Amino acid sequence: MSDTSTTVTPAHFEYIAARTTPEDDLLRALKTAAEEAGIPAIWIAPEQAALLQILLRLSGAREVVEVGTLAGYSAIAMARALPPDGRLSTIEIDARHADFAESWIARSDVADRVRVLCGAGIDRLAEMKSGTVDAIFIDADKHNYPNYLREAERLLRPGGLLMADNAFAFGYLLDANRQTPDVLAIRDFNDLVARTSAFQSVIVPLGDGCWVGVRR
Ligand code: MG
């Protein structure tokens, strides 16, 4: 450990969370309803939502794409950082998850800024025009992350914002005994991003680790 870095411990995470604006009633109710509906209880932490919102505001993003809607938590959180004429397109392969997310987006304060695209990430991204996207958040099936990265390179305008979740591989990044397909895919993806010259990127240790990059 160099003397310029502090090892981030669980206590640091608790400290950070205690100083982050908590989620509001709508997002809390969404989580409860998702659990009751048997939708996987996977969503970004409030402190990661704050990071994404700050990055979106700083970059002045209007046209945003998310790969992996799941319950719609991060879509609603990110859309709140867009201007009134901004638009977030979120892609979900599972029709049941897409329906659930759509119903919660419809009752949110950003219903006019979010559209759910049902289908495979690769197919829906391929329909989008090159250089037209301001920011993209990748949070879907891990073995396709390299494909999503390639599409992000094509879709983002110069200066566009790349964000990708789960760089810490659900906590197993450095656990050599953990060799599941998803963990292996994240390790490969992290190495791929590190050598991708199209982006200047860094992993921010919030939530399960979040890649943040800028399209050169
Ligand atoms: Mg994730």
Side-chain angles (χ1 to χ4, degrees):
M1 180 54 55
S2 79
D3 58 8
T4 54
S5 297
T6 298
T7 301
V8 180
T9 64
H12 284 91
F13 275 95
E14 282 174 31
Y15 183 94
I16 292 166
R19 283 154 187 79
T20 302
T21 306
E23 61 212 357
D24 66 356
D25 290 344
L26 178 99
L27 289 177
R28 206 168 307 133
L30 178 156
K31 284 162 77 165
T32 305
E35 279 168 348
E36 285 168 4
I39 291 177
I42 304 170
W43 23 70
I44 58 172
E47 50 274 21
Q48 188 180 352
L51 171 73
L52 300 185
Q53 289 174 331
I54 289 165
L55 293 170
L56 290 169
R57 289 205 165 100
L58 277 174
S59 67
R62 286 174 188 280
E63 197 66 38
V64 180
V65 174
E66 175 182 55
V67 190
T69 312
L70 209 68
Y73 184 102
S74 48
I76 293 171
M78 287 193 289
R80 286 173 168 168
L82 303 185
D85 63 342
R87 181 173 65 164
L88 184 139
S89 305
T90 180
I91 303 170
E92 175 56 49
I93 195 167
D94 185 309
R96 200 170 72 88
H97 297 168
D99 286 348
F100 179 92
E102 248 174 353
S103 74
W104 279 86
I105 289 161
R107 74 182 78 167
S108 78
D109 49 302
V110 288
D112 57 331
R113 273 172 252 176
V114 183
R115 60 171 181 164
V116 180
L117 306 177
C118 199
I122 281 305
D123 297 340
R124 302 314 302 253
L125 292 172
E127 296 164 3
M128 298 177 185
K129 264 183 76 183
S130 302
T132 60
V133 174
D134 297 313
I136 184 162
F137 179 48
I138 301 170
D139 190 17
D141 51 324
K142 306 311 169 198
H143 73 277
N144 266 317
Y145 266 34
N147 296 323
Y148 301 145
L149 181 69
R150 200 171 53 239
E151 282 294 70
E153 200 175 318
R154 179 181 73 79
L155 291 171
L156 286 170
R157 62 163 169 81
L161 174 65
L162 169 74
M163 302 167 287
D165 193 30
N166 303 109
F168 286 169
F170 329 102
Y172 297 110
L173 178 63
L174 303 178
D175 181 348
N177 295 320
R178 190 79 173 194
Q179 304 284 345
T180 61
D182 277 359
V183 170
L184 294 173
I186 287 291
R187 289 187 189 129
D188 287 346
F189 176 75
N190 288 346
D191 293 341
L192 174 65
V193 179
R195 62 174 188 268
T196 297
S197 57
F199 295 97
Q200 182 189 10
S201 311
V202 70
I203 297 170
V204 178
L206 284 177
D208 186 37
C210 187
W211 272 107
V212 172
V214 176
R215 181 79 171 94
R216 294 191 202 269

